[in-house]
């Protein structure tokens, strides 16, 4: 039951997006977010949506999976849409009025664009990052990108290592939780009866063994790392050295062209634009 | 029909996902009341899956689990009652201890059953004795105990529910030979005094020969052979085919007999072998 929870849903593959250098992906994702929020009119938005769709196609990840990523934020989208729809005051006559509720054309446009922004945001970031980059590659890239911060004594390597270890142990601890729950159930523990306080109390027999086992594992891991002479960042070499290839430079160029076109489209005169 | 029966049971892990794996295929096992039945098989043969099916932690994909003739997944049967009647000790059960004292941890099961204090106390003390746990340890924190003592405390925690059937998944795994003998003989003493049914899961042929009355050999999710220890061990070809080996002592005696030494077959324990060897040597000097 607990195994159904998936964190960092990485789908292994060999598409062009999978093969991109994770550093490039990280930077591009940040720029993409900026782009999504700088789109201003119908042309720019159409172009943006086109771009996101081609990202999805390039990644060879099924549309079903992408839709699944959007499902949890449906409520947020609906909420944003409604707020934009009713709270945007336009010029001229409202296109719909009922008592104090008035909807202007501008509100309709704003609501539509906001929903498009959220969808592109979620789809774009998950396709570029979480779906196509393994968590380990991601932390690796993060460590490399944040390396300059070491000058001001930020322990970048230590943070990255902590993140890697945490990610590594999520499935292990989930499995362990499942096992402990089953063992306590076999002794007649009922975990889902009574009111909230009863339920919290009922989880004590699960939480205590879980914490103890987490500490034990941490101890063992620390010991194993020390036995293999782990001593932090100093003088450490990597098994996989990140290297920019043709595909990375190409994607940066494509992205820059995309950005230029989008900003050009933003300047085109049209009445359908964000206020 | 025995007390607990698996009828044409199949089980599939993660059905309809890319990770789908059939763990059991059309398994039929009948556990005889009051006997110690050993389930033996290689890693991945489905032993532990059987254990979790027996008390309803897993639900079979098809087939039935019958307790005293009643399907445990029948809507009229309360699953929590089934779990009190069929006790399950998991592999490495020491990781489930959580209470402040060993006494309270062993009492967790009986307390969940809603028993009164006097009865709980009697059961805790009795099951601690069967599991080979000194009474003075009962007042200590379970986390101060040694690994072997923790294991005993966890086993006592299930015994204290006095289930009609107790299922133990590798109760002696990772213990030294002495700890292993103490725990297994404690389990047998529990059966002898209480008359309750015991199901032992293991991959050690030696232990099984020594402590079980009946054996079920599993291989790749199916039952390969079952019957009394004697009946099963006679099918040596079949057992070796499944990747398990007969007890060392049996193999030594088989080899001796093949070389023309006049000894009987059916020697499965060192104790047996010792006696057999002794009588052989005596016979030789007499002649």
């Amino acid at each position: 039951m607990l195994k159904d929870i998936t964190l960092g849903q990485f789908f292994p593959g060999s598409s062009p997006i999978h093969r991109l250098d994770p550093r490039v992906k990280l930077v591009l994702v940040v720029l993409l977010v900026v782009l999504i929020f700088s789109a201003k009119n119908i042309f720019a938005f159409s172009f943006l949506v086109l771009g996101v769709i081609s990202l999805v196609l390039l990644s060879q990840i099924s549309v079903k999976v992408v839709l699944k990523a959007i499902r949890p934020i449906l409520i947020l989208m609906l909420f944003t849409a409604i707020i934009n729809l009713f709270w945007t005051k336009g010029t001229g006559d409202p296109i719909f009025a009922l008592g104090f509720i008035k909807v202007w054309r501008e509100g309709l446009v704003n609501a539509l664009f906001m929903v498009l922004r959220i969808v592109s945001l979620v789809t774009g970031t998950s396709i570029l990052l979480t779906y196509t980059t393994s968590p380990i590659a991601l932390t690796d890239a993060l460590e490399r990108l944040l390396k300059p911060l070491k000058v001001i004594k930020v322990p970048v390597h230590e943070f990255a290592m902590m993140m890697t270890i945490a990610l590594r142990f999520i499935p292990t601890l989930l499995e362990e939780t499942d096992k402990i729950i089953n063992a306590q159930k076999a002794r007649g523990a009922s975990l889902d009866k009574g009111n909230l306080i009863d339920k919290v109390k009922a989880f004590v027999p699960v939480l205590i063994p879980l914490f103890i086992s987490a500490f034990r594992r941490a101890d063992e891991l620390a010991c194993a790392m020390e036995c293999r002479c782990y001593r932090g960042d100093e003088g450490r070499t990597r098994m996989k050295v990140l290297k920019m290839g043709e595909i990375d430079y190409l994607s940066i160029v494509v992205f820059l062209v995309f950005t230029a076109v989008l900003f050009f489209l933003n300047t085109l005169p049209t009445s359908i634009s964000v206020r | 029909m025995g007390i607990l029966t698996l009828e044409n049971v199949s089980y599939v892990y993660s059905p309809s996902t890319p990770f789908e794996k059939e763990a059991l295929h059309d398994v039929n096992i009948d556990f005889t009341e009051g006997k110690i039945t050993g389930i033996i098989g290689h890693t991945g043969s489905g032993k532990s899956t059987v254990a979790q099916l027996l008390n309803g932690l897993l639900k079979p994909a098809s087939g039935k689990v019958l307790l005293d003739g009643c399907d445990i997944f029948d809507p009229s049967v309360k699953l929590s009652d089934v779990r009190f009647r069929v006790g399950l000790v998991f592999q490495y059960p020491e990781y489930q201890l959580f209470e402040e004292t060993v006494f309270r941890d062993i009492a967790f099961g009986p307390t969940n059953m809603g028993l009164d204090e006097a009865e709980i106390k009697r059961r805790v003390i009795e099951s601690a004795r069967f599991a080979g746990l000194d009474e003075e340890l009962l007042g200590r924190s379970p986390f101060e105990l040694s690994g072997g003592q923790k294991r005993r405390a966890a086993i006592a925690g299930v015994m204290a529910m006095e289930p009609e059937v107790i299922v133990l998944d590798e109760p002696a795994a990772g213990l030294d030979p002495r700890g292993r003998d103490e725990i297994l003989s404690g389990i047998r003493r529990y059966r002898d005094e209480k008359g309750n049914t015991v199901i032992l899961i293991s991959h050690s042929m030696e232990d099984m020969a020594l402590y079980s009355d009946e054996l079920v050999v599993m291989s790749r999710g199916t039952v390969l052979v079952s019957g009394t220890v004697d009946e099963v061990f006679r099918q040596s070809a079949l057992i070796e085919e499944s990747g398990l080996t007969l007890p060392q002592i049996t193999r030594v005696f088989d080899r001796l007999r093949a070389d023309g030494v006049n000894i009987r077959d059916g020697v499965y324990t060192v104790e047996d072998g010792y006696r057999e060897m002794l009588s052989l040597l005596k016979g030789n000097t007499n002649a």
Side-chain angles (χ1 to χ4, degrees):
Chain A
M1 57 181 246
L2 279 169
K3 275 182 202 152
D4 299 338
I5 305 170
T6 38
L7 281 147
Q9 314 152 301
F10 167 55
F11 294 92
S14 56
S15 75
I17 306 227
H18 282 88
R19 278 182 284 134
L20 276 186
D21 187 310
R23 287 172 299 179
V24 174
K25 283 201 255 190
L26 255 174
V27 174
L28 288 190
V29 154
V30 175
L31 293 178
L32 181 70
V33 172
V34 175
L35 267 196
I36 286 172
F37 280 97
S38 37
K40 287 255 183 311
N41 61 18
I42 181 79
F43 301 122
F45 266 106
S46 313
F47 189 59
L48 189 72
V49 169
L50 212 70
V52 171
I53 290 175
S54 41
L55 263 183
V56 174
L57 294 180
L58 263 178
S59 72
Q60 289 160 15
I61 284 189
S62 79
V63 179
K64 226 164 87 189
V65 172
V66 178
L67 290 181
K68 227 174 159 182
I70 296 174
R71 195 183 304 151
I73 53 154
L74 268 181
I75 302 223
L76 179 78
M77 275 160 55
L78 204 70
F79 199 67
T80 323
I82 288 175
I83 290 203
N84 273 291
L85 196 59
F86 293 116
W87 267 265
T88 312
K89 273 210 171 67
T91 49
D93 292 331
I95 51 169
F96 174 82
L98 188 92
F100 65 94
I101 301 172
K102 287 185 183 113
V103 175
W104 277 271
R105 203 181 63 97
E106 283 87 343
L108 208 63
V109 171
N110 267 6
L112 177 75
F113 283 170
M114 265 333 263
V115 166
L116 275 182
R117 263 184 192 153
I118 296 176
V119 170
S120 335
L121 199 66
V122 171
T123 315
T125 49
S126 47
I127 286 290
L128 254 182
L129 273 186
T130 43
Y131 285 166
T132 58
T133 322
S134 77
I136 301 293
L138 208 59
T139 43
D140 227 22
L142 212 59
E143 182 180 347
R144 291 308 300 271
L145 286 175
L146 294 180
K147 228 176 186 172
L149 289 182
K150 260 172 54 183
V151 180
I152 53 165
K153 305 255 184 229
V154 177
V156 175
H157 170 79
E158 281 70 16
F159 281 141
M161 183 54 94
M162 274 158 64
M163 231 168 105
T164 312
I165 291 173
L167 286 169
R168 154 71 185 76
F169 275 96
I170 288 171
T172 312
L173 286 179
L174 279 180
E175 201 176 302
E176 187 102 9
T177 315
D178 241 7
K179 239 163 79 185
I180 295 170
I181 286 179
N182 274 342
Q184 305 301 23
K185 266 194 198 162
R187 291 207 280 166
S190 52
L191 299 174
D192 37 20
K193 280 204 195 92
N195 57 28
L196 188 66
I197 297 190
D198 286 341
K199 273 185 201 162
V200 172
K201 269 191 191 152
F203 254 88
V204 169
V206 175
L207 288 180
I208 292 180
L210 190 63
F211 269 102
I212 286 169
S213 117
F215 280 119
R216 183 175 47 84
R217 274 179 203 285
D219 238 16
E220 281 167 8
L221 182 69
C223 190
M225 283 168 83
E226 235 163 272
C227 288
R228 293 195 232 166
C229 303
Y230 176 78
R231 58 208 150 99
D233 197 17
E234 217 96 324
R236 188 171 170 78
T237 55
R238 331 193 137 260
M239 193 165 88
K240 275 192 187 148
V241 180
L242 294 175
K243 222 175 142 196
M244 303 264 290
E246 268 169 47
I247 187 166
D248 298 304
Y249 292 115
L250 185 71
S251 62
I252 291 173
V253 171
V254 169
F255 190 85
L256 288 178
V257 172
F258 187 85
T259 312
V261 173
L262 194 123
F263 277 109
F264 168 70
L265 290 174
N266 257 344
T267 61
L268 289 183
T270 164
S271 60
I272 310 174
S273 63
V274 177
R275 274 164 35 92
Chain B
M1 168 107 82
I3 180 160
L4 199 54
T5 310
L6 293 184
E7 231 178 56
N8 310 102
V9 167
S10 300
Y11 188 79
V12 183
Y13 282 106
S14 327
S16 56
T17 68
F19 309 105
E20 180 172 309
K21 188 180 176 296
E22 187 175 43
L24 294 179
H25 179 75
D26 196 22
V27 168
N28 287 287
I29 309 176
D30 198 37
F31 296 102
T32 319
E33 186 163 7
K35 296 266 193 233
I36 299 183
T37 305
I39 303 181
I40 194 160
H42 237 274
T43 319
S45 60
K47 296 170 293 179
S48 296
T49 311
V50 166
Q52 293 182 54
L53 281 163
L54 290 175
N55 75 345
L57 280 173
L58 298 179
K59 191 175 178 179
S62 65
K64 280 181 189 160
V65 183
L66 303 174
L67 175 60
D68 246 347
C70 296
D71 186 351
I72 62 167
F73 285 104
D74 194 89
S76 64
V77 177
K78 264 175 73 185
L79 218 49
S80 57
D81 289 342
V82 171
R83 300 217 172 112
F84 292 132
R85 291 177 63 189
V86 182
L88 173 57
V89 181
F90 276 86
Q91 249 176 73
Y92 299 103
E94 53 271 34
Y95 297 135
Q96 69 184 41
L97 301 173
F98 70 98
E99 270 288 8
E100 280 160 45
T101 65
V102 176
F103 183 96
R104 287 180 52 180
D105 205 283
I106 298 177
F108 180 66
T111 311
N112 284 333
M113 297 172 80
L115 300 171
D116 65 66
E117 223 159 288
E119 175 68 8
I120 290 176
K121 188 165 183 208
R122 180 191 70 75
R123 288 188 174 199
V124 170
I125 288 171
E126 194 183 69
S127 55
R129 184 171 57 83
F130 283 127
L133 210 58
D134 285 335
E135 225 179 299
E136 57 179 278
L137 294 179
L138 290 179
R140 291 227 208 133
S141 157
F143 304 109
E144 291 170 15
L145 305 185
S146 73
Q149 287 167 333
K150 277 186 201 166
R151 177 81 56 93
R152 284 153 207 252
I155 292 175
V158 176
M159 277 182 177
M161 301 196 300
E162 300 197 346
E164 288 154 63
V165 183
I166 186 166
V167 186
L168 299 109
D169 194 353
E170 299 272 9
L175 294 181
D176 58 50
R178 178 133 159 248
R180 155 196 222 97
D181 279 343
E182 281 173 4
I183 283 190
L184 290 173
S185 54
I187 291 166
R188 189 157 61 184
R189 234 175 327 114
Y190 166 84
R191 192 279 311 260
D192 290 345
E193 284 183 36
K194 295 263 163 201
N196 291 356
T197 313
V198 175
I199 299 170
L200 273 181
I201 296 175
S202 168
H203 56 240
S204 158
M205 278 290 181
E206 272 82 9
D207 290 353
M208 285 302 183
L210 206 53
Y211 292 101
S212 341
D213 307 311
E214 296 182 352
L215 271 184
V216 176
V217 181
M218 298 203 51
S219 172
R220 294 197 194 111
T222 55
V223 173
L224 202 62
V225 220
S226 64
T228 63
V229 172
D230 224 32
E231 284 165 6
V232 168
F233 280 175
R234 267 172 216 286
Q235 316 248 17
S236 55
L238 208 56
I239 288 176
E240 309 231 320
E241 200 181 291
S242 82
L244 292 163
T245 47
L246 292 172
Q248 269 181 11
I249 191 79
T250 311
R251 278 183 289 154
V252 169
F253 272 66
D254 281 353
R255 182 67 195 277
L256 283 174
R257 207 168 47 253
D259 283 355
V261 182
N262 179 28
I263 38 175
R264 70 176 172 91
D265 63 353
V267 173
Y268 307 126
T269 63
V270 176
E271 189 68 21
D272 250 14
Y274 167 74
R275 253 180 278 127
E276 188 63 23
M277 202 51 102
L278 214 61
S279 71
L280 180 76
L281 291 174
K282 270 188 197 144
N284 281 354
T285 43
N286 287 352

